[in-house]
Amino acid sequence: GTGSSILSALQDLFWLSKSKVEKQLQIISVLQWVLTFLIMGIACTLILMYILCTDCWAIAALYLAWLVFDWNTPKKGGRRSQWVRNWAIWRYFRDYFPIRLVKTHNLLTTRNYIFGYHPHGIMGLGAFCNFSTEATGVSQKFPGIRPYLATLAGNFRIPILRDYLMSGGICPVNRDSIDYILSKNGSGNAIIIVVGGAAESLNCTPGKNSVTLKNRKGFVKLALRHGADLVPVYSFGENEVYQQVIFEEGSWGRWVQKKFQKHIGFAPCIFHGRGLFSSNTWGLLPYSKPITTVVGEPITIPKIDNPSQKEVDFYHSMYVDSLIKLFDKYKSKFGLPETEVLEVN
C-alpha cells in the first residue's frame, strides 16, 4: 500500500545518500594524498619555521633535536606503522579508481626481492596504494613479505613528511637503504623500485604503454650483489589517470624538465586531471580510471659479490623478457587489444 511505497522511497533515498557520501569520502581521500605529494614537504618546512618564531618555539626546537637524533632511521628500514597502513582512508582511496593487486605466483619468505614497478605514471598511484597501504591486501596476498616502496632520498630530509612516509613503509631509493634492508633485515623483504623514475614520467600519457628500462641496470646489479630475486610488476591503467603536456625532444620544455631531473631528481610535469566538483572540468584530482597492478613471476638471482657487466646484462635481459611476457599475458584481460605492444626504451 501507500506505507510500503513511502518506505521504499525512503530506502532508495537513504541508499543514494550513502552512495554520495562514500563518493565524497573517496574524493577527499585522493585529494589529501595528491596535496601530500605536491605540497606537504614545503608546507611542513614553512610551518616549522613559523613555529620557531612564535612563543611555541620550544616545540619546534624539540622536534629538530629529535630529527638530528633520528636522521639515519630511513636508511635502516624506517619506522613503519601497521595502524597507518590500515587507515580506512586508504580503502576509500582504493575504491575511487578502483585499484586492484593481482598475484600470479607465491613468494618464499626465505628470500628477499626487488620488485621492478612499471610504469611510473605521474604520481605512482598504484605503487603507493598497493605497497604502502593494506588497502588491496598485500600482506594477505603475500604473507610474510614486508614491502618497502622506494622513493627519492630527498623526501626524507624534509621534517614531518619523512615520518609520514616511513609510517607507510616507504624508504629512500639509495644504495645505503637498499643494502641495509637486503643484508641486515633478515629475509622476506621486498623493495619496490619504480625503475623508470622521473625520465619515464615525462612520457606517460593515456593510451601509451612504454617503459624506460633499456639502460636502467642498477637494480639488477643490486639484486645480484644480495642474491635478491627480481619480480616484474606492471600496472595497467597507471598512465590513464592524468593528461600530460608532452614536450618533444629538443624543445625548451623538455630541456627544462631534464635539467630538473638531473640536478634535483624529479622532473616537473604539466598535467591535469578532473576538477573537485565536476569530472568535466580540469583540476588536480586524477580521473577515476581502474588501475590493476599485476605482480609477475620471480626470477631467481644468484648472489655475486662483484657481478661483471656481462652477468648484469644477462639478468637484465631476462628481466626485460619476463616483463614483456607479463604484459602480453594480461593486456587483453585489462582492456588492451591483443595487438598492443609494450614499448621498451
Side-chain angles (χ1 to χ4, degrees), residues 116-222:
Y117 184 92
H118 314 269
H120 183 287
I122 295 291
M123 296 184 183
L125 294 158
F128 171 79
C129 184
N130 285 307
F131 301 113
S132 293
T133 81
E134 294 296 332
T136 56
V138 63
S139 293
Q140 286 71 46
K141 289 182 169 70
F142 300 103
I145 301 297
R146 292 180 298 276
Y148 293 86
L149 178 61
T151 188
L152 291 175
N155 289 325
F156 296 90
R157 292 192 283 269
I158 300 174
I160 304 173
L161 175 63
R162 66 189 291 277
D163 301 287
Y164 188 43
L165 294 177
M166 284 194 292
S167 69
I170 300 177
C171 70
V173 62
N174 59 27
R175 181 169 171 175
D176 289 344
S177 177
I178 293 172
D179 282 348
Y180 183 92
I181 293 170
L182 295 180
S183 64
K184 298 179 181 178
N185 204 40
S187 60
N189 302 292
I191 297 179
I192 298 88
I193 299 177
V194 186
V195 178
E200 191 172 86
S201 69
L202 297 179
N203 295 314
C204 69
T205 187
K208 185 173 184 179
N209 288 283
S210 119
V211 296
T212 302
L213 182 56
K214 278 185 180 178
N215 297 315
R216 299 294 175 103
K217 300 180 181 180
F219 73 105
V220 178
K221 190 173 184 178
L222 279 169

Side-chain angles (χ1 to χ4, degrees), residues 282-312:
W282 288 7
L284 289 176
L285 279 176
Y287 294 106
S288 52
K289 306 277 185 165
I291 298 174
T292 305
T293 302
V294 184
V295 179
E297 181 178 5
I299 302 167
T300 303
I301 302 294
K303 189 178 187 302
I304 305 173
D305 290 334
N306 293 295
S308 66
Q309 190 59 50
K310 185 177 179 180
E311 289 167 328
V312 172

Side-chain angles (χ1 to χ4, degrees), residues 17 35 90 94 134 203 224 267 335-336:
S17 176
L35 293 177
W90 306 132
R94 171 200 66 197
E134 294 296 332
N203 295 314
L224 285 165
L336 297 178

Side-chain angles (χ1 to χ4, degrees), residues 5-233:
S5 297
I6 294 172
L7 181 60
S8 177
L10 287 172
Q11 287 174 337
D12 289 342
L13 182 63
F14 175 76
W15 182 85
L16 286 171
S17 176
K18 182 180 179 181
S19 175
K20 288 179 180 178
V21 168
E22 287 187 347
K23 187 62 180 176
Q24 293 305 311
L25 287 172
Q26 291 169 13
I27 289 172
I28 291 169
S29 69
V30 175
L31 179 62
Q32 68 83 27
W33 190 86
V34 170
L35 293 177
T36 296
F37 183 91
L38 294 175
I39 66 170
M40 184 175 177
I42 295 173
C44 289
T45 303
L46 292 175
I47 290 170
L48 195 65
M49 291 173 63
Y50 171 75
I51 293 174
L52 280 170
C53 299
T54 68
D55 292 339
C56 298
W57 63 269
I59 296 173
L62 283 172
Y63 177 79
L64 289 173
W66 161 254
L67 188 63
V68 173
F69 175 78
D70 194 55
W71 191 252
N72 289 322
T73 297
K75 298 178 183 178
K76 298 180 179 179
R79 188 171 46 248
R80 75 176 54 217
S81 165
Q82 286 301 116
W83 176 65
V84 173
R85 287 175 60 89
N86 281 287
W87 278 352
I89 195 170
W90 306 132
R91 295 192 290 275
Y92 289 112
F93 182 98
R94 171 200 66 197
D95 293 339
Y96 173 85
F97 296 93
I99 295 174
R100 289 178 58 210
L101 180 65
V102 176
K103 169 186 174 181
T104 63
H105 291 79
N106 292 325
L107 298 181
L108 299 174
T109 57
T110 54
R111 299 287 291 173
N112 283 324
Y113 301 90
I114 292 179
F115 287 17
Y117 184 92
H118 314 269
H120 183 287
I122 295 291
M123 296 184 183
L125 294 158
F128 171 79
C129 184
N130 285 307
F131 301 113
S132 293
T133 81
E134 294 296 332
T136 56
V138 63
S139 293
Q140 286 71 46
K141 289 182 169 70
F142 300 103
I145 301 297
R146 292 180 298 276
Y148 293 86
L149 178 61
T151 188
L152 291 175
N155 289 325
F156 296 90
R157 292 192 283 269
I158 300 174
I160 304 173
L161 175 63
R162 66 189 291 277
D163 301 287
Y164 188 43
L165 294 177
M166 284 194 292
S167 69
I170 300 177
C171 70
V173 62
N174 59 27
R175 181 169 171 175
D176 289 344
S177 177
I178 293 172
D179 282 348
Y180 183 92
I181 293 170
L182 295 180
S183 64
K184 298 179 181 178
N185 204 40
S187 60
N189 302 292
I191 297 179
I192 298 88
I193 299 177
V194 186
V195 178
E200 191 172 86
S201 69
L202 297 179
N203 295 314
C204 69
T205 187
K208 185 173 184 179
N209 288 283
S210 119
V211 296
T212 302
L213 182 56
K214 278 185 180 178
N215 297 315
R216 299 294 175 103
K217 300 180 181 180
F219 73 105
V220 178
K221 190 173 184 178
L222 279 169
L224 285 165
R225 288 180 61 246
H226 293 284
D229 294 347
L230 289 170
V231 182
V233 179

